[in-house]
Amino acid sequence: NAGVTQTPKFRVLKTGQSMTLLCAQDMNHEYMYWYRQDPGMGLRLIHYSVGEGTTAKGEVPDGYNVSRLKKQNFLLGLESAAPSQTSVYFCASSYSEEAGSTDTQYFGPGTRLTVL
Amino acid sequence: QQPVQSPQAVILREGEDAVINCSSSKALYSVHWYRQKHGEAPVFLMILLKGGEQKGHEKISASFNEKKQQSSLYLTASQLSYSGTYFCGTEYSGAGSYQLTFGKGTKLSVIP
């Protein structure tokens, strides 16, 4: 049982390049999330998904796209990377005991992205 | 709207107690607490639900004041392993929120 995994762990991009971050979970969770963490800012929600085939915008969605084609995977894409997207990205998943609420979120180890 | 955590940072000696507060200007459905050590992922500590139900960590306790829309995390007899940054995540009242909004964190350092 690996929990939540993220690939890659580190990445350096040049401005304008694109990339996809992969998140996978083996806990059969319905909900999945992408956060970014910047110094002094806490965790900010980028996009989230409440089930296979569904996605929604979070607090800071601009410049990112997501897809949830399979229940266990949640992909985060950067189409044209900018230096402002330099950050640590965390994926999380959760099981919900009732509709409309979130239970414990399990976080992946993070991806450290630098955009030059 | 991001909840406000206080204090921003605190230094304790082993065995001392600390309280971390999390306040919201919006009505809360639940408050979640996480701890993050440097270079690692956040780890779940506790959930407090509207109505008073509490779950979580055996050596750390918390309260949820619905009238004040505030939660407090209590760390008693602190240990070196308590060091890290504590985040509260708030879930707002209303159907279908599905998401947490995290505060900026409180950095706790426990020294011998």
Side-chain angles (χ1 to χ4, degrees):
Chain A
N1 191 338
V4 180
T5 58
Q6 293 182 231
T7 52
K9 288 187 169 55
F10 303 93
R11 185 72 186 268
V12 178
L13 291 178
K14 293 182 179 178
T15 297
Q17 288 185 318
S18 63
M19 77 163 295
T20 300
L21 282 68
L22 172 63
C23 176
Q25 52 94 6
D26 61 3
M27 297 175 281
N28 201 35
H29 286 166
E30 287 293 332
Y31 298 172
M32 296 187 74
Y33 309 84
W34 275 108
Y35 295 93
R36 61 176 290 172
Q37 186 174 39
D38 303 295
M41 297 296 292
L43 293 152
R44 292 184 293 170
L45 183 64
I46 304 172
H47 286 280
Y48 65 100
S49 169
V50 299
E52 182 178 320
T54 69
T55 63
K57 294 180 180 180
E59 180 186 354
V60 289
D62 293 343
Y64 305 96
N65 57 74
V66 288
S67 64
R68 182 110 181 258
L69 299 179
K70 293 183 179 180
K71 186 177 182 179
Q72 64 268 33
N73 296 336
F74 195 27
L75 278 64
L76 178 71
L78 286 75
E79 291 185 347
S80 179
S84 60
Q85 294 178 304
T86 293
S87 187
V88 179
Y89 291 85
F90 286 101
C91 175
S93 70
S94 74
Y95 170 75
S96 179
E97 294 182 344
E98 61 181 82
S101 70
T102 179
D103 205 275
T104 304
Q105 293 193 11
Y106 296 86
F107 284 82
T111 295
R112 187 173 295 274
L113 175 67
T114 301
V115 183
L116 303 175
Chain B
Q1 199 164 7
Q2 206 169 20
V4 177
Q5 287 187 235
S6 62
Q8 290 184 331
V10 59
I11 300 174
L12 298 176
R13 291 199 178 274
E14 272 188 292
E16 291 183 338
D17 302 340
V19 180
I20 300 171
N21 297 307
C22 175
S23 297
S24 171
S25 58
K26 294 173 64 174
L28 298 174
Y29 177 78
S30 69
V31 179
H32 302 219
W33 286 97
Y34 289 79
R35 177 171 62 207
Q36 184 180 31
K37 294 188 179 285
H38 183 69
E40 298 181 6
V43 174
F44 168 77
L45 292 176
M46 191 171 302
I47 293 178
L48 297 105
L49 302 175
K50 184 178 178 180
E53 184 181 353
Q54 178 175 328
K55 298 188 272 186
H57 204 281
E58 62 180 15
K59 293 192 174 183
I60 298 174
S61 62
S63 64
F64 182 9
N65 186 322
E66 290 178 43
K67 286 185 179 178
K68 292 185 177 180
Q69 302 303 327
Q70 177 177 311
S71 177
S72 296
L73 186 71
Y74 305 96
L75 299 98
T76 57
S78 59
Q79 306 168 18
L80 295 175
S81 62
Y82 285 8
S83 293
T85 300
Y86 289 77
F87 293 98
C88 67
T90 52
E91 185 176 14
Y92 298 118
S93 294
S97 62
Y98 302 113
Q99 58 184 283
L100 296 179
T101 305
F102 285 91
K104 293 184 178 181
T106 295
K107 185 174 182 180
L108 177 72
S109 302
V110 182
I111 58 176

